[in-house]
Amino acid sequence: MSETLLVAEAPGTDPVSVPGASGSRQFWRRLRAQRAALAAAVVVALLVLVALAAPLLTAVEGQDPTTYHPSLIDSARGGVPVGPLGGIDGDHWLGVEPQTGRDLFARLAYGARVSLGVALAATVVQVVIGVTMGIASALGNRWVDQLLSRITDIFVALPLMIMSLALLAIVPASFPRPVLVTLVIGLLSWGNIAKVVRAQTLTLKELDYVSAARLSGWGDWRIARRELLPGLAAPVITYAALLVPQNITVEAALSFLGVGVKPPTPSWGQMLTAADVWYQAAPQYLLLPAGLLFTTVLALTVLGDGVRTALDPRAASRLRVGTGRRREHKADVAQGGAA
Protein backbone atom coordinates (compact mmCIF):
# COMPACT_ATOMS: atom_id res chain seq x y z
CA MET A 1 0.00 0.00 0.00
CA SER A 2 2.96 2.27 0.44
CA GLU A 3 3.33 4.75 -2.35
CA THR A 4 6.03 7.08 -3.50
CA LEU A 5 5.60 10.54 -2.00
CA LEU A 6 6.46 13.64 -4.01
CA VAL A 7 7.61 16.71 -2.14
CA ALA A 8 7.93 20.03 -3.97
CA GLU A 9 10.14 22.32 -1.94
CA ALA A 10 10.32 25.56 -3.89
CA PRO A 11 9.03 27.11 -7.10
CA GLY A 12 11.12 26.17 -10.06
CA THR A 13 12.48 22.98 -8.50
CA ASP A 14 11.61 19.41 -9.32
CA PRO A 15 9.73 17.25 -6.84
CA VAL A 16 11.86 14.89 -4.80
CA SER A 17 10.60 11.36 -4.31
CA VAL A 18 10.73 9.48 -1.02
CA PRO A 19 10.93 6.49 -0.55
CA GLY A 20 10.35 4.59 -3.81
CA ALA A 21 11.90 2.36 -6.39
CA SER A 22 14.60 4.95 -7.12
CA GLY A 23 15.15 5.90 -3.48
CA SER A 24 18.43 4.01 -3.16
CA ARG A 25 19.77 5.55 -6.38
CA GLN A 26 18.88 9.05 -5.13
CA PHE A 27 20.55 8.31 -1.82
CA TRP A 28 23.82 7.21 -3.41
CA ARG A 29 23.78 10.15 -5.82
CA ARG A 30 23.36 12.64 -2.97
CA LEU A 31 26.00 10.88 -0.86
CA ARG A 32 28.51 10.88 -3.74
CA ALA A 33 27.99 14.62 -4.12
CA GLN A 34 29.42 15.17 -0.61
CA ARG A 35 33.20 14.88 -0.81
CA ALA A 36 33.72 15.08 2.94
CA ALA A 37 31.30 12.20 3.53
CA LEU A 38 33.02 10.10 0.85
CA ALA A 39 36.43 10.74 2.39
CA ALA A 40 35.03 9.80 5.80
CA ALA A 41 33.52 6.62 4.33
CA VAL A 42 36.93 5.65 2.93
CA VAL A 43 38.55 6.19 6.33
CA VAL A 44 35.87 4.13 8.08
CA ALA A 45 36.17 1.36 5.48
CA LEU A 46 39.95 1.22 6.00
CA LEU A 47 39.53 1.03 9.78
CA VAL A 48 36.96 -1.75 9.46
CA LEU A 49 39.26 -3.58 7.03
CA VAL A 50 42.16 -3.34 9.48
CA ALA A 51 39.93 -4.64 12.29
CA LEU A 52 38.67 -7.58 10.22
CA ALA A 53 42.11 -8.42 8.84
CA ALA A 54 43.96 -7.99 12.16
CA PRO A 55 45.03 -11.68 12.36
CA LEU A 56 46.31 -11.58 8.78
CA LEU A 57 48.15 -8.25 9.21
CA THR A 58 49.83 -9.32 12.43
CA ALA A 59 50.78 -12.65 10.83
CA VAL A 60 52.47 -10.74 8.00
CA GLU A 61 54.32 -8.67 10.62
CA GLY A 62 55.15 -11.85 12.52
CA GLN A 63 53.79 -10.62 15.86
CA ASP A 64 50.76 -11.00 18.11
CA PRO A 65 49.10 -8.66 20.66
CA THR A 66 49.91 -10.63 23.83
CA THR A 67 53.53 -11.82 23.59
CA TYR A 68 55.98 -10.04 25.89
CA HIS A 69 59.41 -9.00 24.59
CA PRO A 70 61.51 -8.14 27.66
CA SER A 71 64.67 -7.91 25.57
CA LEU A 72 63.21 -4.85 23.80
CA ILE A 73 62.75 -2.93 27.07
CA ASP A 74 65.43 -0.90 28.82
CA SER A 75 64.80 -1.78 32.47
CA ALA A 76 67.51 0.62 33.61
CA ARG A 77 65.40 3.51 32.27
CA GLY A 78 62.16 2.31 33.83
CA GLY A 79 60.91 0.13 30.98
CA VAL A 80 61.32 2.50 28.01
CA PRO A 81 61.51 0.71 24.64
CA VAL A 82 64.98 0.18 23.23
CA GLY A 83 65.75 1.94 19.98
CA PRO A 84 64.48 5.07 18.23
CA LEU A 85 60.80 6.06 18.05
CA GLY A 86 59.66 3.52 20.59
CA GLY A 87 61.51 0.58 19.06
CA ILE A 88 60.24 0.85 15.48
CA ASP A 89 62.02 -1.58 13.15
CA GLY A 90 61.23 -4.20 10.51
CA ASP A 91 59.84 -6.60 13.09
CA HIS A 92 57.76 -4.06 14.99
CA TRP A 93 56.17 -1.60 12.58
CA LEU A 94 54.98 0.86 15.23
CA GLY A 95 57.35 -0.08 18.03
CA VAL A 96 56.53 -1.82 21.30
CA GLU A 97 54.75 -0.98 24.54
CA PRO A 98 56.76 0.35 27.47
CA GLN A 99 57.34 -2.13 30.33
CA THR A 100 55.81 -5.11 28.47
CA GLY A 101 57.42 -4.99 25.03
CA ARG A 102 54.20 -6.15 23.37
CA ASP A 103 53.92 -5.21 19.72
CA LEU A 104 52.08 -1.90 19.38
CA PHE A 105 50.78 -2.42 15.84
CA ALA A 106 49.24 -5.78 16.79
CA ARG A 107 47.53 -4.31 19.84
CA LEU A 108 46.17 -1.36 17.86
CA ALA A 109 44.83 -3.64 15.11
CA TYR A 110 43.15 -5.99 17.58
CA GLY A 111 42.00 -2.99 19.64
CA ALA A 112 40.14 -1.74 16.57
CA ARG A 113 38.13 -4.99 16.59
CA VAL A 114 37.03 -4.38 20.17
CA SER A 115 36.31 -0.66 19.85
CA LEU A 116 34.44 -0.86 16.53
CA GLY A 117 32.76 -4.17 17.33
CA VAL A 118 31.43 -3.02 20.69
CA ALA A 119 30.19 0.27 19.21
CA LEU A 120 28.42 -1.35 16.26
CA ALA A 121 26.87 -4.14 18.33
CA ALA A 122 25.67 -1.69 20.99
CA THR A 123 24.12 0.45 18.25
CA VAL A 124 22.19 -2.58 16.95
CA VAL A 125 20.86 -3.25 20.47
CA GLN A 126 19.84 0.39 20.87
CA VAL A 127 18.08 0.48 17.50
CA VAL A 128 16.15 -2.77 18.08
CA ILE A 129 14.92 -1.72 21.53
CA GLY A 130 14.31 1.90 20.57
CA VAL A 131 12.34 1.09 17.41
CA THR A 132 10.24 -1.53 19.21
CA MET A 133 9.44 0.75 22.13
CA GLY A 134 8.77 3.77 19.91
CA ILE A 135 6.37 1.94 17.60
CA ALA A 136 4.60 0.19 20.48
CA SER A 137 4.12 3.50 22.26
CA ALA A 138 2.77 5.28 19.18
CA LEU A 139 0.39 2.47 18.17
CA GLY A 140 -0.85 1.62 21.66
CA ASN A 141 -3.78 3.15 23.46
CA ARG A 142 -3.44 6.14 25.77
CA TRP A 143 -2.44 4.07 28.80
CA VAL A 144 0.15 2.05 26.92
CA ASP A 145 1.57 5.21 25.40
CA GLN A 146 1.80 6.91 28.81
CA LEU A 147 3.46 3.87 30.43
CA LEU A 148 6.04 3.31 27.70
CA SER A 149 6.75 7.03 27.39
CA ARG A 150 7.47 7.28 31.13
CA ILE A 151 9.78 4.25 30.97
CA THR A 152 11.56 5.86 28.04
CA ASP A 153 11.92 9.12 29.98
CA ILE A 154 13.55 7.21 32.84
CA PHE A 155 16.15 5.69 30.55
CA VAL A 156 16.81 9.04 28.88
CA ALA A 157 17.41 10.62 32.29
CA LEU A 158 19.72 7.84 33.53
CA PRO A 159 23.37 8.96 33.83
CA LEU A 160 24.95 6.50 31.40
CA MET A 161 28.50 6.59 32.71
CA ILE A 162 27.53 6.26 36.38
CA MET A 163 25.13 3.39 35.72
CA SER A 164 27.67 1.67 33.48
CA LEU A 165 30.38 1.98 36.12
CA ALA A 166 28.06 0.47 38.74
CA LEU A 167 26.91 -2.44 36.58
CA LEU A 168 30.33 -3.29 35.19
CA ALA A 169 31.85 -3.24 38.67
CA ILE A 170 29.48 -5.86 40.13
CA VAL A 171 29.41 -8.37 37.26
CA PRO A 172 31.76 -11.35 37.73
CA ALA A 173 35.07 -11.11 35.88
CA SER A 174 34.35 -14.44 34.16
CA PHE A 175 31.67 -12.85 31.99
CA PRO A 176 33.10 -11.87 28.53
CA ARG A 177 33.93 -8.21 28.93
CA PRO A 178 33.32 -7.00 25.34
CA VAL A 179 29.87 -8.62 25.39
CA LEU A 180 29.12 -7.09 28.78
CA VAL A 181 30.16 -3.60 27.69
CA THR A 182 28.03 -3.98 24.55
CA LEU A 183 24.96 -4.99 26.55
CA VAL A 184 25.40 -2.27 29.16
CA ILE A 185 25.72 0.50 26.57
CA GLY A 186 22.90 -0.86 24.42
CA LEU A 187 20.44 -1.56 27.24
CA LEU A 188 20.92 1.78 28.98
CA SER A 189 20.93 4.27 26.11
CA TRP A 190 18.07 3.45 23.75
CA GLY A 191 15.72 6.15 25.08
CA ASN A 192 16.49 8.92 22.60
CA ILE A 193 15.99 6.78 19.52
CA ALA A 194 12.69 5.51 21.00
CA LYS A 195 11.50 9.12 21.28
CA VAL A 196 12.49 9.84 17.67
CA VAL A 197 10.68 6.72 16.42
CA ARG A 198 7.55 7.46 18.48
CA ALA A 199 7.29 11.01 17.13
CA GLN A 200 7.83 9.88 13.54
CA THR A 201 5.34 7.02 13.89
CA LEU A 202 2.65 9.38 15.22
CA THR A 203 3.10 11.43 12.04
CA LEU A 204 3.18 8.47 9.65
CA LYS A 205 0.09 6.73 11.03
CA GLU A 206 -2.07 9.70 10.05
CA LEU A 207 -1.15 9.36 6.36
CA ASP A 208 -3.72 8.09 3.88
CA TYR A 209 -2.03 4.82 2.96
CA VAL A 210 -1.78 3.81 6.64
CA SER A 211 -5.47 4.67 7.15
CA ALA A 212 -6.33 2.60 4.09
CA ALA A 213 -4.40 -0.36 5.49
CA ARG A 214 -6.25 -0.04 8.78
CA LEU A 215 -9.62 0.07 6.97
CA SER A 216 -8.62 -3.10 5.10
CA GLY A 217 -8.52 -4.93 8.43
CA TRP A 218 -4.77 -5.06 8.97
CA GLY A 219 -3.57 -5.34 12.58
CA ASP A 220 -1.21 -2.87 14.23
CA TRP A 221 1.92 -5.00 13.89
CA ARG A 222 1.25 -5.83 10.24
CA ILE A 223 0.81 -2.11 9.57
CA ALA A 224 4.02 -1.42 11.48
CA ARG A 225 5.95 -4.02 9.51
CA ARG A 226 4.55 -3.29 6.04
CA GLU A 227 3.77 0.43 6.15
CA LEU A 228 5.56 2.19 9.00
CA LEU A 229 9.01 0.60 9.04
CA PRO A 230 9.85 1.70 5.46
CA GLY A 231 8.98 5.27 6.40
CA LEU A 232 11.05 5.02 9.58
CA ALA A 233 14.16 3.76 7.77
CA ALA A 234 15.62 7.20 7.02
CA PRO A 235 15.45 8.73 10.54
CA VAL A 236 16.54 5.45 12.18
CA ILE A 237 19.55 5.01 9.87
CA THR A 238 20.50 8.64 10.38
CA TYR A 239 20.31 8.40 14.16
CA ALA A 240 22.15 5.06 14.20
CA ALA A 241 24.99 6.52 12.12
CA LEU A 242 25.46 9.20 14.76
CA LEU A 243 25.22 6.69 17.64
CA VAL A 244 28.26 4.68 16.53
CA PRO A 245 30.90 7.38 17.27
CA GLN A 246 29.16 8.14 20.55
CA ASN A 247 29.36 4.47 21.55
CA ILE A 248 33.05 4.30 20.60
CA THR A 249 33.69 7.20 22.95
CA VAL A 250 31.71 5.55 25.77
CA GLU A 251 33.58 2.25 25.36
CA ALA A 252 36.92 4.05 25.37
CA ALA A 253 35.94 6.02 28.48
CA LEU A 254 34.85 2.87 30.33
CA SER A 255 38.07 1.07 29.41
CA PHE A 256 40.07 4.16 30.40
CA LEU A 257 38.35 4.11 33.82
CA GLY A 258 39.30 0.45 34.26
CA VAL A 259 35.83 -1.13 34.13
CA GLY A 260 35.68 -1.89 30.42
CA VAL A 261 37.68 -4.46 28.49
CA LYS A 262 40.29 -6.13 30.68
CA PRO A 263 43.87 -7.08 29.74
CA PRO A 264 45.25 -8.91 27.89
CA THR A 265 42.42 -8.15 25.44
CA PRO A 266 43.53 -4.91 23.75
CA SER A 267 41.31 -1.84 23.49
CA TRP A 268 42.17 1.71 22.49
CA GLY A 269 40.69 3.13 25.68
CA GLN A 270 42.52 0.56 27.79
CA MET A 271 45.80 1.47 26.05
CA LEU A 272 45.23 5.12 26.93
CA THR A 273 44.87 4.12 30.57
CA ALA A 274 48.38 2.67 30.64
CA ALA A 275 49.82 5.37 28.38
CA ASP A 276 49.05 8.40 30.53
CA VAL A 277 52.33 8.03 32.46
CA TRP A 278 54.45 7.54 29.32
CA TYR A 279 53.58 10.65 27.34
CA GLN A 280 57.10 12.07 27.81
CA ALA A 281 59.26 8.93 27.68
CA ALA A 282 57.28 7.16 24.92
CA PRO A 283 54.83 9.67 23.38
CA GLN A 284 53.86 7.36 20.50
CA TYR A 285 52.25 5.00 23.02
CA LEU A 286 49.77 7.76 23.90
CA LEU A 287 49.47 9.51 20.53
CA LEU A 288 48.71 6.45 18.39
CA PRO A 289 45.58 5.15 20.20
CA ALA A 290 44.42 8.71 20.89
CA GLY A 291 44.89 9.63 17.23
CA LEU A 292 43.01 6.55 16.07
CA LEU A 293 40.12 7.30 18.42
CA PHE A 294 39.96 10.91 17.23
CA THR A 295 40.13 9.91 13.56
CA THR A 296 37.48 7.21 13.94
CA VAL A 297 35.02 9.40 15.83
CA LEU A 298 35.54 12.30 13.42
CA ALA A 299 35.12 10.11 10.33
CA LEU A 300 31.99 8.44 11.67
CA THR A 301 30.50 11.79 12.68
CA VAL A 302 31.13 13.29 9.23
CA LEU A 303 29.78 10.16 7.55
CA GLY A 304 26.69 10.20 9.78
CA ASP A 305 25.99 13.81 8.86
CA GLY A 306 26.45 12.93 5.19
CA VAL A 307 23.98 10.06 5.51
CA ARG A 308 21.50 12.40 7.22
CA THR A 309 21.77 14.87 4.34
CA ALA A 310 21.55 12.16 1.68
CA LEU A 311 18.42 10.69 3.25
CA ASP A 312 16.74 14.09 3.57
CA PRO A 313 14.34 14.45 0.59
CA ARG A 314 14.59 18.22 0.85
CA ALA A 315 18.40 18.40 0.70
CA ALA A 316 18.69 18.43 -3.09
CA SER A 317 16.03 21.15 -3.43
CA ARG A 318 17.70 23.29 -0.75
CA LEU A 319 21.01 22.86 -2.54
CA ARG A 320 19.54 23.94 -5.87
CA VAL A 321 17.74 26.90 -4.32
CA GLY A 322 20.86 28.00 -2.45
CA THR A 323 23.02 27.67 -5.57
CA GLY A 324 20.50 29.67 -7.58
CA ARG A 325 20.48 32.47 -5.01
CA ARG A 326 24.28 32.64 -5.02
CA ARG A 327 24.30 32.83 -8.81
CA GLU A 328 21.68 35.57 -8.76
CA HIS A 329 23.73 37.48 -6.20
CA LYS A 330 26.89 37.17 -8.33
CA ALA A 331 24.97 38.31 -11.41
CA ASP A 332 23.62 41.36 -9.54
CA VAL A 333 27.12 42.24 -8.37
CA ALA A 334 28.49 41.89 -11.89
CA GLN A 335 25.72 44.08 -13.31
CA GLY A 336 26.33 46.70 -10.65
CA GLY A 337 30.05 46.74 -11.42
CA ALA A 338 29.40 47.08 -15.14
CA ALA A 339 27.03 49.99 -14.52
Side-chain angles (χ1 to χ4, degrees), residues 113-325:
R113 303 184 108 191
V114 173
S115 297
L116 292 173
V118 167
L120 291 171
T123 301
V124 172
V125 174
Q126 290 169 303
V127 168
V128 170
I129 298 176
V131 169
T132 302
M133 291 290 287
I135 292 178
S137 178
L139 294 182
N141 58 38
R142 185 167 63 92
W143 297 107
V144 171
D145 186 22
Q146 288 292 322
L147 175 62
L148 296 182
S149 294
R150 297 297 77 77
I151 293 175
T152 301
D153 291 339
I154 291 173
F155 277 87
V156 170
L158 283 177
L160 174 60
M161 293 301 298
I162 296 176
M163 294 298 298
S164 299
L165 288 171
L167 292 174
L168 291 170
I170 63 176
V171 175
S174 59
F175 196 93
R177 216 61 181 183
V179 177
L180 178 60
V181 174
T182 297
L183 292 176
V184 168
I185 296 175
L187 295 176
L188 290 179
S189 51
W190 51 265
N192 286 323
I193 193 169
K195 283 183 168 293
V196 171
V197 170
R198 176 184 177 275
Q200 189 70 14
T201 303
L202 289 174
T203 301
L204 291 176
K205 76 175 189 177
E206 301 298 328
L207 298 179
D208 291 342
Y209 67 88
V210 177
S211 300
R214 193 179 298 277
L215 291 173
S216 299
W218 287 15
D220 286 342
W221 289 109
R222 186 180 182 186
I223 291 175
R225 187 178 68 254
R226 298 287 299 275
E227 306 296 343
L228 297 179
L229 284 178
L232 292 170
V236 168
I237 292 173
T238 299
Y239 200 89
L242 297 175
L243 278 177
V244 177
Q246 174 184 320
N247 291 338
I248 287 180
T249 306
V250 173
E251 185 279 325
L254 292 173
S255 296
F256 180 79
L257 293 173
V259 295
V261 178
K262 299 291 185 182
T265 304
S267 166
W268 292 345
Q270 176 203 109
M271 294 174 70
L272 289 174
T273 304
D276 60 350
V277 298
W278 296 100
Y279 65 92
Q280 290 183 331
Q284 80 287 344
Y285 186 36
L286 174 66
L287 295 177
L288 286 173
L292 283 172
L293 271 173
F294 175 80
T295 301
T296 304
V297 171
L298 178 62
L300 285 169
T301 303
V302 173
L303 179 59
D305 187 69
V307 170
R308 177 192 60 79
T309 303
L311 288 172
D312 186 354
R314 298 165 296 180
S317 296
R318 284 202 300 266
L319 181 61
R320 285 196 295 268
V321 172
T323 304
R325 289 176 178 174

Side-chain angles (χ1 to χ4, degrees), residues 22-34 38 41 310:
S22 62
S24 59
R25 290 194 296 272
Q26 291 180 356
F27 168 76
W28 289 115
R29 185 175 68 250
R30 294 171 187 159
L31 189 62
R32 288 197 301 269
Q34 304 177 69
L38 287 180

